[in-house]
């Protein structure tokens, strides 16, 4: 059974536009309400409806059936709708392989899935999954140090509990047993 989906958004909100694009790209039928493009009674009615489901009236607000999701939570929206994509398959495959080695995905699912989408984009672009947070050349040999998992992951996670991009972390990092600090770039500038 299809769920009724409503996206309350603003034309100026990058997160709203990203959710709209995701829904459109996945061909998910939805109602799209751009509050800032409405006027008069139409705007008043839209905001009244939004306030019923989200008293803070924040944007984006996505309503999937009786579930209300506030903020940019693309993965949560997909899961609520019941949509699985290639990135979900990649997540499951990499999780299975890496957890055995003591490397865990960042508990922030939205960040994790954005990074995984970046890896998939780089694979499509270059033919290999170069780190999405580093500039790849497209030459597999030149990029070998940053093909995920990059050669810097192990020392980063050992020292800081997280890799440079924050995709892979330790159990202690995920459970806040260690401080979350910015991980410095280990890749030498001459390799960039």
């Amino acid at each position: 059974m299809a769920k009724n989906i409503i996206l309350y958004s603003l034309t100026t909100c990058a997160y709203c536009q990203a959710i709209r694009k995701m829904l459109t790209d996945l061909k998910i039928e939805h109602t799209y309400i751009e509050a800032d493009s409405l006027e008069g009674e139409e705007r008043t009615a839209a905001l009244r409806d939004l306030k019923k489901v989200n008293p803070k009236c924040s944007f984006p607000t996505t309503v999937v059936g009786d579930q209300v999701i506030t903020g940019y939570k693309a993965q949560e929206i997909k899961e609520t709708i019941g949509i699985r994509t290639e990135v979900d398959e990649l997540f499951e495959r990499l999780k299975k392989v890496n957890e055995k080695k003591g490397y865990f995905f960042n508990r922030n699912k939205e960040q994790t899935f954005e990074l995984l989408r970046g890896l998939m984009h780089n694979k499509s672009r270059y033919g290999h999954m170069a780190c999405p947070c580093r500039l790849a050349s497209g030459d597999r040999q030149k990029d070998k140090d940053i093909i995920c998992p990059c050669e810097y992951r192990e020392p980063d996670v050992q020292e800081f509990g997280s890799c440079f991009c924050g995709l892979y972390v330790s159990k202690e990092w995920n459970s806040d047993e260690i401080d979350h600090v910015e991980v410095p770039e280990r890749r030498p500038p001459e390799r960039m």
Side-chain angles (χ1 to χ4, degrees), residues 17-44:
Q17 300 308 314
I19 291 172
R20 181 181 189 190
K21 181 178 181 339
M22 177 194 74
L23 293 171
T24 301
D25 289 351
L26 293 172
K27 297 178 176 37
I28 297 170
E29 212 172 293
H30 62 284
T31 301
Y32 184 65
I33 300 171
E34 287 183 329
D36 59 334
S37 66
L38 302 174
E39 295 179 4
E41 180 51 41
E42 204 175 20
R43 179 184 275 199
T44 302

mmCIF file of all heavy atoms in Angstrom, residues 17-44:
data_model
loop_
_atom_site.group_PDB
_atom_site.id
_atom_site.type_symbol
_atom_site.label_atom_id
_atom_site.label_comp_id
_atom_site.label_asym_id
_atom_site.label_seq_id
_atom_site.Cartn_x
_atom_site.Cartn_y
_atom_site.Cartn_z
ATOM 1 N N GLN A 17 15.542 21.074 -0.929
ATOM 2 C CA GLN A 17 15.719 20.768 -2.351
ATOM 3 C C GLN A 17 16.360 19.396 -2.544
ATOM 4 O O GLN A 17 16.027 18.665 -3.481
ATOM 5 C CB GLN A 17 16.548 21.861 -3.033
ATOM 6 C CG GLN A 17 15.944 23.257 -2.960
ATOM 7 C CD GLN A 17 14.497 23.326 -3.432
ATOM 8 O OE1 GLN A 17 14.166 22.777 -4.468
ATOM 9 N NE2 GLN A 17 13.642 23.996 -2.663
ATOM 10 N N ALA A 18 17.283 19.023 -1.656
ATOM 11 C CA ALA A 18 17.939 17.713 -1.753
ATOM 12 C C ALA A 18 16.927 16.588 -1.514
ATOM 13 O O ALA A 18 16.957 15.567 -2.213
ATOM 14 C CB ALA A 18 19.090 17.621 -0.760
ATOM 15 N N ILE A 19 16.034 16.766 -0.552
ATOM 16 C CA ILE A 19 15.015 15.743 -0.304
ATOM 17 C C ILE A 19 14.052 15.668 -1.486
ATOM 18 O O ILE A 19 13.692 14.575 -1.939
ATOM 19 C CB ILE A 19 14.266 15.999 1.021
ATOM 20 C CG1 ILE A 19 15.226 15.766 2.193
ATOM 21 C CG2 ILE A 19 13.036 15.099 1.136
ATOM 22 C CD1 ILE A 19 14.663 16.169 3.540
ATOM 23 N N ARG A 20 13.665 16.817 -2.017
ATOM 24 C CA ARG A 20 12.778 16.817 -3.185
ATOM 25 C C ARG A 20 13.436 16.085 -4.357
ATOM 26 O O ARG A 20 12.806 15.272 -5.024
ATOM 27 C CB ARG A 20 12.437 18.251 -3.596
ATOM 28 C CG ARG A 20 11.510 18.297 -4.779
ATOM 29 C CD ARG A 20 11.186 19.691 -5.194
ATOM 30 N NE ARG A 20 10.137 19.687 -6.204
ATOM 31 C CZ ARG A 20 9.786 20.735 -6.887
ATOM 32 N NH1 ARG A 20 10.369 21.895 -6.684
ATOM 33 N NH2 ARG A 20 8.835 20.656 -7.793
ATOM 34 N N LYS A 21 14.711 16.368 -4.584
ATOM 35 C CA LYS A 21 15.436 15.714 -5.675
ATOM 36 C C LYS A 21 15.492 14.201 -5.452
ATOM 37 O O LYS A 21 15.283 13.416 -6.375
ATOM 38 C CB LYS A 21 16.848 16.292 -5.802
ATOM 39 C CG LYS A 21 17.665 15.673 -6.931
ATOM 40 C CD LYS A 21 19.031 16.307 -7.042
ATOM 41 C CE LYS A 21 19.901 15.780 -8.145
ATOM 42 N NZ LYS A 21 19.650 14.505 -8.719
ATOM 43 N N MET A 22 15.759 13.790 -4.215
ATOM 44 C CA MET A 22 15.809 12.364 -3.912
ATOM 45 C C MET A 22 14.471 11.699 -4.221
ATOM 46 O O MET A 22 14.421 10.667 -4.900
ATOM 47 C CB MET A 22 16.179 12.127 -2.452
ATOM 48 C CG MET A 22 16.179 10.655 -2.069
ATOM 49 S SD MET A 22 16.229 10.356 -0.296
ATOM 50 C CE MET A 22 14.571 10.791 0.205
ATOM 51 N N LEU A 23 13.388 12.290 -3.752
ATOM 52 C CA LEU A 23 12.062 11.719 -3.990
ATOM 53 C C LEU A 23 11.745 11.669 -5.483
ATOM 54 O O LEU A 23 11.230 10.666 -5.991
ATOM 55 C CB LEU A 23 10.994 12.517 -3.240
ATOM 56 C CG LEU A 23 11.035 12.455 -1.712
ATOM 57 C CD1 LEU A 23 10.062 13.454 -1.099
ATOM 58 C CD2 LEU A 23 10.759 11.047 -1.208
ATOM 59 N N THR A 24 12.089 12.726 -6.186
ATOM 60 C CA THR A 24 11.855 12.783 -7.622
ATOM 61 C C THR A 24 12.713 11.756 -8.357
ATOM 62 O O THR A 24 12.219 11.021 -9.208
ATOM 63 C CB THR A 24 12.134 14.207 -8.148
ATOM 64 O OG1 THR A 24 11.272 15.126 -7.449
ATOM 65 C CG2 THR A 24 11.872 14.314 -9.644
ATOM 66 N N ASP A 25 14.015 11.708 -8.021
ATOM 67 C CA ASP A 25 14.921 10.748 -8.670
ATOM 68 C C ASP A 25 14.484 9.305 -8.440
ATOM 69 O O ASP A 25 14.646 8.455 -9.318
ATOM 70 C CB ASP A 25 16.359 10.927 -8.170
ATOM 71 C CG ASP A 25 17.010 12.207 -8.681
ATOM 72 O OD1 ASP A 25 16.423 12.884 -9.548
ATOM 73 O OD2 ASP A 25 18.114 12.536 -8.185
ATOM 74 N N LEU A 26 13.948 9.026 -7.254
ATOM 75 C CA LEU A 26 13.486 7.675 -6.937
ATOM 76 C C LEU A 26 12.061 7.423 -7.442
ATOM 77 O O LEU A 26 11.498 6.358 -7.205
ATOM 78 C CB LEU A 26 13.572 7.419 -5.431
ATOM 79 C CG LEU A 26 14.986 7.360 -4.853
ATOM 80 C CD1 LEU A 26 14.948 7.300 -3.336
ATOM 81 C CD2 LEU A 26 15.762 6.180 -5.418
ATOM 82 N N LYS A 27 11.499 8.438 -8.113
ATOM 83 C CA LYS A 27 10.142 8.347 -8.671
ATOM 84 C C LYS A 27 9.106 8.013 -7.595
ATOM 85 O O LYS A 27 8.225 7.161 -7.782
ATOM 86 C CB LYS A 27 10.099 7.340 -9.820
ATOM 87 C CG LYS A 27 10.969 7.745 -10.997
ATOM 88 C CD LYS A 27 10.955 6.713 -12.093
ATOM 89 C CE LYS A 27 11.724 7.077 -13.324
ATOM 90 N NZ LYS A 27 12.939 7.777 -13.268
ATOM 91 N N ILE A 28 9.247 8.684 -6.473
ATOM 92 C CA ILE A 28 8.321 8.497 -5.364
ATOM 93 C C ILE A 28 7.291 9.616 -5.415
ATOM 94 O O ILE A 28 7.644 10.800 -5.333
ATOM 95 C CB ILE A 28 9.074 8.503 -4.009
ATOM 96 C CG1 ILE A 28 10.047 7.322 -3.960
ATOM 97 C CG2 ILE A 28 8.090 8.463 -2.857
ATOM 98 C CD1 ILE A 28 11.004 7.365 -2.804
ATOM 99 N N GLU A 29 6.046 9.224 -5.556
ATOM 100 C CA GLU A 29 4.976 10.203 -5.625
ATOM 101 C C GLU A 29 4.866 10.940 -4.294
ATOM 102 O O GLU A 29 4.873 10.317 -3.228
ATOM 103 C CB GLU A 29 3.654 9.475 -5.922
ATOM 104 C CG GLU A 29 2.710 10.309 -6.747
ATOM 105 C CD GLU A 29 1.503 9.491 -7.175
ATOM 106 O OE1 GLU A 29 1.683 8.552 -7.972
ATOM 107 O OE2 GLU A 29 0.409 9.825 -6.696
ATOM 108 N N HIS A 30 4.795 12.267 -4.358
ATOM 109 C CA HIS A 30 4.701 13.060 -3.135
ATOM 110 C C HIS A 30 4.066 14.412 -3.434
ATOM 111 O O HIS A 30 4.041 14.857 -4.579
ATOM 112 C CB HIS A 30 6.092 13.264 -2.512
ATOM 113 C CG HIS A 30 7.044 14.015 -3.386
ATOM 114 N ND1 HIS A 30 7.673 13.445 -4.485
ATOM 115 C CD2 HIS A 30 7.477 15.297 -3.336
ATOM 116 C CE1 HIS A 30 8.454 14.343 -5.056
ATOM 117 N NE2 HIS A 30 8.349 15.478 -4.384
ATOM 118 N N THR A 31 3.577 15.028 -2.385
ATOM 119 C CA THR A 31 3.060 16.391 -2.469
ATOM 120 C C THR A 31 4.159 17.303 -1.981
ATOM 121 O O THR A 31 4.751 17.068 -0.918
ATOM 122 C CB THR A 31 1.798 16.554 -1.590
ATOM 123 O OG1 THR A 31 0.819 15.615 -2.037
ATOM 124 C CG2 THR A 31 1.254 17.966 -1.667
ATOM 125 N N TYR A 32 4.428 18.334 -2.746
ATOM 126 C CA TYR A 32 5.526 19.248 -2.453
ATOM 127 C C TYR A 32 4.946 20.625 -2.156
ATOM 128 O O TYR A 32 4.294 21.223 -3.015
ATOM 129 C CB TYR A 32 6.460 19.286 -3.662
ATOM 130 C CG TYR A 32 7.688 20.104 -3.478
ATOM 131 C CD1 TYR A 32 8.652 19.759 -2.546
ATOM 132 C CD2 TYR A 32 7.911 21.240 -4.254
ATOM 133 C CE1 TYR A 32 9.795 20.503 -2.393
ATOM 134 C CE2 TYR A 32 9.049 21.998 -4.117
ATOM 135 C CZ TYR A 32 9.991 21.622 -3.187
ATOM 136 O OH TYR A 32 11.125 22.361 -3.029
ATOM 137 N N ILE A 33 5.167 21.112 -0.950
ATOM 138 C CA ILE A 33 4.618 22.410 -0.548
ATOM 139 C C ILE A 33 5.765 23.356 -0.242
ATOM 140 O O ILE A 33 6.490 23.173 0.744
ATOM 141 C CB ILE A 33 3.692 22.260 0.683
ATOM 142 C CG1 ILE A 33 2.532 21.320 0.347
ATOM 143 C CG2 ILE A 33 3.200 23.632 1.153
ATOM 144 C CD1 ILE A 33 1.682 20.918 1.524
ATOM 145 N N GLU A 34 5.949 24.344 -1.104
ATOM 146 C CA GLU A 34 6.981 25.380 -0.889
ATOM 147 C C GLU A 34 6.319 26.541 -0.167
ATOM 148 O O GLU A 34 5.683 27.390 -0.794
ATOM 149 C CB GLU A 34 7.575 25.849 -2.220
ATOM 150 C CG GLU A 34 8.494 24.835 -2.842
ATOM 151 C CD GLU A 34 9.129 25.343 -4.135
ATOM 152 O OE1 GLU A 34 8.496 26.157 -4.854
ATOM 153 O OE2 GLU A 34 10.251 24.919 -4.418
ATOM 154 N N ALA A 35 6.470 26.571 1.142
ATOM 155 C CA ALA A 35 5.758 27.550 1.969
ATOM 156 C C ALA A 35 6.064 28.989 1.587
ATOM 157 O O ALA A 35 5.173 29.842 1.620
ATOM 158 C CB ALA A 35 6.079 27.312 3.442
ATOM 159 N N ASP A 36 7.326 29.264 1.210
ATOM 160 C CA ASP A 36 7.680 30.651 0.903
ATOM 161 C C ASP A 36 7.190 31.114 -0.465
ATOM 162 O O ASP A 36 7.253 32.307 -0.782
ATOM 163 C CB ASP A 36 9.192 30.876 1.038
ATOM 164 C CG ASP A 36 10.019 29.990 0.136
ATOM 165 O OD1 ASP A 36 9.560 28.901 -0.239
ATOM 166 O OD2 ASP A 36 11.158 30.393 -0.186
ATOM 167 N N SER A 37 6.649 30.217 -1.267
ATOM 168 C CA SER A 37 6.108 30.642 -2.563
ATOM 169 C C SER A 37 4.586 30.804 -2.500
ATOM 170 O O SER A 37 3.974 31.222 -3.472
ATOM 171 C CB SER A 37 6.488 29.653 -3.671
ATOM 172 O OG SER A 37 5.875 28.403 -3.451
ATOM 173 N N LEU A 38 4.015 30.501 -1.340
ATOM 174 C CA LEU A 38 2.578 30.649 -1.151
ATOM 175 C C LEU A 38 2.271 32.025 -0.571
ATOM 176 O O LEU A 38 3.104 32.627 0.100
ATOM 177 C CB LEU A 38 2.045 29.561 -0.215
ATOM 178 C CG LEU A 38 2.279 28.118 -0.639
ATOM 179 C CD1 LEU A 38 1.822 27.164 0.454
ATOM 180 C CD2 LEU A 38 1.586 27.822 -1.943
ATOM 181 N N GLU A 39 1.045 32.482 -0.786
ATOM 182 C CA GLU A 39 0.632 33.783 -0.242
ATOM 183 C C GLU A 39 -0.746 33.670 0.391
ATOM 184 O O GLU A 39 -1.498 32.745 0.111
ATOM 185 C CB GLU A 39 0.597 34.834 -1.363
ATOM 186 C CG GLU A 39 1.950 35.136 -1.953
ATOM 187 C CD GLU A 39 1.889 36.168 -3.069
ATOM 188 O OE1 GLU A 39 0.796 36.717 -3.342
ATOM 189 O OE2 GLU A 39 2.941 36.421 -3.677
ATOM 190 N N GLY A 40 -1.043 34.630 1.232
ATOM 191 C CA GLY A 40 -2.374 34.771 1.815
ATOM 192 C C GLY A 40 -2.885 33.530 2.504
ATOM 193 O O GLY A 40 -2.179 32.880 3.273
ATOM 194 N N GLU A 41 -4.160 33.188 2.212
ATOM 195 C CA GLU A 41 -4.824 32.063 2.859
ATOM 196 C C GLU A 41 -4.151 30.734 2.543
ATOM 197 O O GLU A 41 -4.090 29.843 3.383
ATOM 198 C CB GLU A 41 -6.306 32.020 2.452
ATOM 199 C CG GLU A 41 -7.102 30.879 3.085
ATOM 200 C CD GLU A 41 -6.958 30.760 4.599
ATOM 201 O OE1 GLU A 41 -6.941 31.790 5.305
ATOM 202 O OE2 GLU A 41 -6.846 29.620 5.094
ATOM 203 N N GLU A 42 -3.593 30.618 1.345
ATOM 204 C CA GLU A 42 -2.904 29.380 0.956
ATOM 205 C C GLU A 42 -1.690 29.137 1.867
ATOM 206 O O GLU A 42 -1.465 28.034 2.346
ATOM 207 C CB GLU A 42 -2.452 29.489 -0.507
ATOM 208 C CG GLU A 42 -2.271 28.184 -1.193
ATOM 209 C CD GLU A 42 -1.945 28.354 -2.677
ATOM 210 O OE1 GLU A 42 -1.495 29.434 -3.107
ATOM 211 O OE2 GLU A 42 -2.125 27.358 -3.383
ATOM 212 N N ARG A 43 -0.924 30.211 2.130
ATOM 213 C CA ARG A 43 0.235 30.103 3.035
ATOM 214 C C ARG A 43 -0.232 29.806 4.462
ATOM 215 O O ARG A 43 0.330 28.942 5.136
ATOM 216 C CB ARG A 43 1.070 31.373 3.005
ATOM 217 C CG ARG A 43 2.272 31.297 3.952
ATOM 218 C CD ARG A 43 3.060 32.565 4.028
ATOM 219 N NE ARG A 43 4.030 32.603 2.934
ATOM 220 C CZ ARG A 43 5.095 33.379 2.915
ATOM 221 N NH1 ARG A 43 5.340 34.196 3.920
ATOM 222 N NH2 ARG A 43 5.915 33.372 1.902
ATOM 223 N N THR A 44 -1.249 30.522 4.912
ATOM 224 C CA THR A 44 -1.781 30.333 6.264
ATOM 225 C C THR A 44 -2.235 28.883 6.461
ATOM 226 O O THR A 44 -1.926 28.256 7.477
ATOM 227 C CB THR A 44 -2.956 31.307 6.523
ATOM 228 O OG1 THR A 44 -2.486 32.642 6.345
ATOM 229 C CG2 THR A 44 -3.512 31.149 7.926
#
